[in-house]
Amino acid sequence: MSNSSFQFANPSQIKRAKEVLHLDHVAVCRGYTGVSGRRGLHKGGCESWCCAWAPDHSFLAWSAGHRMIHLIPWDAKQPKKHDPNDTQGLGGRQYHIIDCGEIVHSMVFGHSSNRIHKQRWKRQRCDITSLVLASGHPSGRIKLWNCETGALLLEIMDHKDIVHDLHFTHDGTLGLASASRDGSVKLWEFDEQGDCNLYLTIKTNTNHAFCCRWSPNRNYVAVVGSIKMALLFVLEDRKVKSRLRLEGHHHDVVNCDFSPDGALLATASYDSRIIIWDVDNRTQIAELGHLYPKPGLIYAGGANDHYVYSVKFSPEGTRLASVGDDGYVRVWQLPDMSDPVTIAAVDGGRCCSFSSDGQLLTVG
């Protein structure tokens, strides 16, 4: 029996997602004169390590290659390629192309409900809204950007290697978790003066920490890396109370995501599989595959050409998206665990992210 990317259906039998917009760094920058005083055309690269949506759907951030972030104002009713030279922007929001000075490996939007943070940042960089963008870099630096102006707000550093992932809490406090190739996960908080301080370093005992996620209630931090399991760190009084292991993968686990209610955790692995876990009981409740028949241990743990790179729950929690090596992005309708309900052909996909209303899926 030959290998297949799907369990029951032929790809031609599965509904295809409609492409709304295709963004290419060189094409977007052609004729670009320099909003925010940054030049981009000559720095175009090929890798797009991450893409992110603002919680209020007002911006799409796209790591467009090498050092560049495109911060794109978004109108859900009229998705289009916005002109970087349009200084009027969209609803007062301008298109910014940000030169970060080094390769961008991770990005996340954060929303602050703290009035003092906004007042402090306004004194520093002018016209700050409550929305910020954090980016992670090979030097171990984390940079925070003003989404209104594209200006650098803060730069923090304690990691010793690439910052692979960043994640803000959902409660408006801008609690930040960062995962690094140095094997650590660090937890940061903003004080009343608007400064960002490190308050906890979690040693994961992995060579590389690839992804970290706060649970919606902040009771857990999930971490995956260069080991065949996911780790759940139970937090209490700003310290790690205990560490739980979710074992079941046969290769490095590279991405994870909590469901919106925090009851489930999805993990993606190079073993060609996604496992969905019951967080409270720490049990495996479902498995989704990118390769059928299910590979044996040796093949799953090697170069099987069906690595899964990214997995994301939709905002309402009823769908799950994944992207991997086999040239497809998939969307499953939960709790159906057979074949995805929607697919799209994507060459070299590395990351995916649902828009905040769940209507769009971006793939880098």
Side-chain angles (χ1 to χ4, degrees):
M1 180 183 295
S2 60
N3 290 336
S4 171
S5 292
F6 302 97
Q7 188 171 7
F8 301 114
N10 185 286
S12 62
Q13 300 172 314
I14 304 175
K15 179 182 176 182
R16 295 285 172 140
K18 178 184 177 182
E19 183 177 293
V20 175
L21 189 63
H22 181 89
L23 297 171
D24 177 83
H25 176 71
V26 175
V28 169
C29 286
R30 198 174 306 280
Y32 168 56
T33 57
V35 176
S36 300
R38 293 173 171 85
R39 295 173 297 172
L41 183 59
H42 67 285
K43 299 188 181 96
C46 62
E47 84 282 6
S48 181
W49 293 109
C50 46
C51 47
W53 289 91
D56 60 359
H57 211 154
S58 58
F59 283 98
L60 168 65
W62 162 41
S63 164
H66 294 314
R67 299 153 34 156
M68 315 307 296
I69 291 176
H70 289 243
L71 190 56
I72 306 169
W74 193 261
D75 183 349
K77 296 180 180 179
Q78 293 181 314
K80 62 179 182 177
K81 290 186 179 181
H82 301 294
D83 184 359
N85 292 304
D86 180 9
T87 57
Q88 298 302 314
L90 181 65
R93 292 171 281 123
Q94 294 187 18
Y95 191 130
H96 298 288
I97 299 180
I98 301 172
D99 185 346
C100 296
E102 51 186 325
I103 292 174
V104 180
H105 280 272
S106 52
M107 290 188 306
V108 67
F109 282 98
H111 179 273
S112 174
S113 58
N114 188 314
R115 178 177 54 85
I116 298 177
H117 291 172
K118 289 182 259 186
Q119 290 176 344
R120 168 68 180 271
W121 290 338
K122 186 172 183 178
R123 291 196 298 270
Q124 291 179 334
R125 288 293 185 272
C126 305
D127 300 326
I128 179 64
T129 64
S130 58
L131 188 67
V132 296
L133 178 71
S135 58
H137 303 281
S139 64
R141 289 180 172 85
I142 300 168
K143 300 178 182 181
L144 272 72
W145 306 91
N146 181 338
C147 294
E148 193 72 22
T149 65
L152 180 65
L153 285 169
L154 297 171
E155 186 173 313
I156 56 179
M157 185 174 180
D158 200 71
H159 284 295
K160 303 300 188 293
D161 211 326
I162 297 170
V163 180
H164 279 304
D165 196 36
L166 297 164
H167 193 231
F168 278 114
T169 54
H170 303 275
D171 56 7
T173 62
L174 286 181
L176 178 64
S178 57
S180 171
R181 190 177 176 180
D182 63 16
S184 70
V185 169
K186 296 181 184 291
L187 305 185
W188 311 77
E189 64 178 359
F190 287 83
D191 60 24
E192 290 300 316
Q193 285 71 46
D195 293 319
C196 188
N197 301 306
L198 173 67
Y199 71 89
L200 183 62
T201 296
I202 301 174
K203 295 182 178 180
T204 65
N205 296 326
T206 66
N207 290 329
H208 309 312
F210 291 131
C211 180
C212 58
R213 287 291 181 273
W214 292 97
S215 64
N217 60 11
R218 297 189 64 168
N219 289 342
Y220 300 101
V221 171
V223 181
V224 296
S226 53
I227 51 175
K228 301 174 184 179
M229 69 183 73
L231 302 173
L232 274 178
F233 293 92
V234 183
L235 303 179
E236 189 175 282
D237 297 328
R238 297 159 52 89
K239 296 179 181 180
V240 174
K241 178 182 177 182
S242 60
R243 184 176 81 160
L244 311 173
R245 305 186 343 167
L246 304 179
E247 299 179 281
H249 282 293
H250 308 309
H251 208 316
D252 291 355
V253 188
V254 293
N255 202 243
C256 65
D257 197 34
F258 280 102
S259 60
D261 61 3
L264 304 176
L265 178 72
T267 54
S269 171
Y270 287 166
D271 67 6
S272 81
R273 297 180 302 147
I274 298 161
I275 295 179
I276 301 177
W277 308 86
D278 181 313
V279 174
D280 287 339
N281 296 320
R282 300 185 296 281
T283 56
Q284 178 179 332
I285 63 172
E287 181 181 309
L288 305 173
H290 277 221
L291 177 62
Y292 295 96
K294 181 179 175 180
L297 292 179
I298 295 177
Y299 190 52
N304 56 59
D305 297 324
H306 284 73
Y307 289 178
V308 186
Y309 292 109
S310 182
V311 62
K312 292 292 182 295
F313 277 100
S314 61
E316 80 285 353
T318 62
R319 292 167 295 155
L320 192 71
S322 66
V323 65
D325 252 349
D326 64 352
Y328 292 102
V329 57
R330 296 162 166 80
V331 178
W332 276 275
Q333 184 71 48
L334 305 178
D336 183 5
M337 302 299 176
S338 55
D339 275 321
V341 295
T342 308
I343 62 173
V346 176
D347 184 24
R350 287 296 180 270
C351 59
C352 62
S353 178
F354 276 103
S355 60
S356 54
D357 64 359
Q359 298 301 305
L360 298 174
L361 181 72
T362 55
V363 179

